[in-house]
Amino acid sequence: MKDQEIVENKNLLKCREQLYRLIISQLFYDGYHAVAVELTNLVRADPPCPPSDRLMNIFKQANQIEQSKESNLFDDVVCGLDLEFETEGTTLAPEPASYETAYVTSHKQPCRAGCFSADGQLVATGSVDASIKVLDVDRMLAKSAPEDMEQGREQHVHPVIRTLYDHTDEVSYLEFHPKAQILASGSRDNTVKLFDISKASVKKASTVLSDCVPVRCIAFHPTGDYMAVGTDHHVLRMYDVHTAQCFVGAIAEQQHKASITCVRYAGTAKVYATGSMDGSIKLWDGVSGRCINTFSQAHDGAKICSIVFTRNGKFLLSSGQDSLVKLWELSTSRCLIAYTGAGTTGIQEHQTQAVFNHTEDYVLFPDEATTSLCAWNSRNASRCHLMSLGHNGAVRHIVHSPTYSAFLTCSDDFRARFWVRKVNTH
């Protein structure tokens, strides 16, 4: 009986702890930060509680008696970041600080663009020297572990599988087609070019989208049929990839007031988002192209550097030249979490991206002044270990693999570094 009582008492303590955590999360979510912090200290909540309205949703669920009793709120847990659901404090993905450099590739001038293919098998890098390299991930991994390679094969396994020279100015942005073997590149030569990389002999673009101003950012529609293009102009361009026909929004007052620095689609394509040098973030209807929301002065007036939707489409992660990273809840149009501690000066000189890792457990952001990587737990904003990125210049682009523990950093030191979490099999 005593053993049973001990088990029951442990379960009761665990239930109380979970209840306290729910209360603290709800207080943070509702804006009662001082009360939440005080309660956190009283009950010694560890790890820190993220802001979440999960308690409210449980309460609503309990009051909906007419619903089927078989329904269970906790059966709907989805992969990735969803603050409505509690995690056990530990994450399955490794901390970014545990990654190592597996391969380094060099350009003749600063490297400022990079991307992964949707399956994580290819990487592309772009440079001020107008060149583009396409690299095979498996070959980079093989090069980093020559002891695992068949003898005599080292010289035959070169990671760079394509080198493209079709631009006349800096390659500013790269993105792989979501379904086809096509690489799109935006450039300061006022063009977007589409390369069919399934052909080993490819040298020139198969499609060219021309503009009258430098291209800053591009994003494929999840179907791959359309492409959003942001330029030094304040109006976003939308292209039909098959016909090269261009569309723009018809309502002038809905547009940005300055150059568009970033554009991203939500996974469902129901909405897309743009960030601008005017300091605002705008959400657009994916069908009508009308602006449905604007976060003015999203980073206190600083230029917007990057935006990315969470996979479930509930949140938007943004970074600005104020060196802050913010998580926006789209249903309430408010900043739910601010990830702080990057940027010793507070204001950075260059545009740098904040990205999620492949599981959305962590937020990654290169610190410009120290060329180190800042990382946070995405749910509670607790800081992870700082990590040196080994570059001799500012990191101008970072992108994480969509499928596994690896990321790419591109720098003004002319180099791109491929980082991966190595698993010791010996």
Side-chain angles (χ1 to χ4, degrees), residues 63-110:
N63 280 314
Q64 292 171 348
I65 302 170
E66 69 279 3
Q67 288 189 354
S68 168
K69 289 183 180 178
E70 292 179 3
S71 67
N72 187 334
L73 180 66
F74 306 103
D75 287 342
D76 301 324
V77 178
V78 296
C79 293
L81 180 64
D82 194 341
L83 298 175
E84 185 180 331
F85 298 101
E86 180 80 357
T87 60
E88 291 301 318
T90 58
T91 52
L92 296 178
E95 269 199 37
S98 64
Y99 293 22
E100 300 174 9
T101 299
Y103 192 77
V104 180
T105 190
S106 297
H107 288 267
K108 293 176 182 176
Q109 291 187 51

Side-chain angles (χ1 to χ4, degrees), residues 114-377:
C115 64
F116 276 87
S117 60
D119 61 5
Q121 291 303 300
L122 295 176
V123 160
T125 62
S127 170
V128 175
D129 67 15
S131 71
I132 299 168
K133 291 184 179 184
V134 181
L135 300 98
D136 184 281
V137 167
D138 286 339
R139 292 187 182 190
M140 286 193 285
L141 293 173
K143 278 283 188 182
S144 70
E147 67 277 4
D148 297 334
M149 205 183 303
E150 289 178 32
Q151 210 167 15
R153 286 201 64 216
E154 294 91 340
Q155 65 271 27
H156 302 298
V157 188
H158 191 57
V160 179
I161 59 171
R162 306 279 185 275
T163 304
L164 309 170
Y165 297 99
D166 201 21
H167 284 291
T168 58
D169 204 336
E170 175 185 337
V171 177
S172 53
Y173 207 90
L174 293 166
E175 181 152 307
F176 283 98
H177 191 283
K179 297 180 178 179
Q181 290 239 359
I182 292 171
L183 176 66
S185 58
S187 170
R188 295 199 64 79
D189 65 9
N190 305 354
T191 66
V192 174
K193 299 197 173 187
L194 276 63
F195 298 88
D196 183 354
I197 56 171
S198 66
K199 299 173 182 175
S201 59
V202 62
K203 296 294 179 188
K204 300 292 182 181
S206 57
T207 303
V208 179
L209 309 176
S210 297
D211 210 302
C212 57
V213 287
V215 175
R216 285 180 168 269
C217 54
I218 56 180
F220 275 110
H221 186 281
T223 62
D225 295 328
Y226 300 94
M227 177 186 283
V229 177
T231 69
D232 276 352
H233 195 264
H234 64 280
V235 176
L236 186 76
R237 282 84 157 117
M238 194 67 68
Y239 286 92
D240 184 311
V241 171
H242 306 290
T243 66
Q245 189 173 0
C246 181
F247 307 89
V248 295
I251 306 172
E253 56 268 24
Q254 290 188 347
Q255 307 301 324
H256 285 287
K257 308 299 182 191
S259 304
I260 295 170
T261 55
C262 43
V263 57
R264 295 297 282 265
Y265 272 96
T268 60
K270 289 181 180 177
V271 295
Y272 56 93
T274 53
S276 169
M277 292 181 79
D278 66 12
S280 70
I281 296 170
K282 287 180 178 285
L283 294 176
W284 307 81
D285 185 283
V287 177
S288 69
R290 288 176 176 267
C291 181
I292 54 177
N293 202 355
T294 299
F295 302 153
S296 300
Q297 306 285 302
H299 283 260
D300 294 327
K303 298 170 186 174
I304 307 302
C305 294
S306 69
I307 46 176
V308 58
F309 286 94
T310 53
R311 284 200 296 271
N312 59 23
K314 291 183 178 182
F315 308 99
L316 185 77
L317 187 76
S318 71
S319 68
Q321 277 191 256
D322 57 355
S323 296
L324 288 179
V325 181
K326 296 183 177 183
L327 187 74
W328 302 85
E329 184 179 47
L330 300 182
S331 62
T332 58
S333 305
R334 65 192 178 114
C335 175
L336 205 55
I337 302 177
Y339 305 91
T340 60
T344 52
T345 60
I347 302 295
Q348 60 194 60
E349 183 182 349
H350 304 298
Q351 184 173 329
T352 309
Q353 299 73 36
V355 298
F356 287 111
N357 74 325
H358 61 301
T359 60
E360 296 183 354
D361 288 323
Y362 300 105
V363 172
L364 286 64
F365 183 70
D367 182 87
E368 184 178 276
T370 62
T371 62
S372 57
L373 183 71
C374 294
W376 299 267
N377 180 304

Side-chain angles (χ1 to χ4, degrees), residues 44-59:
R44 296 184 177 85
D46 186 45
C49 302
S52 168
D53 61 345
R54 186 178 173 218
L55 183 61
M56 174 61 77
N57 290 329
I58 291 173
F59 183 75

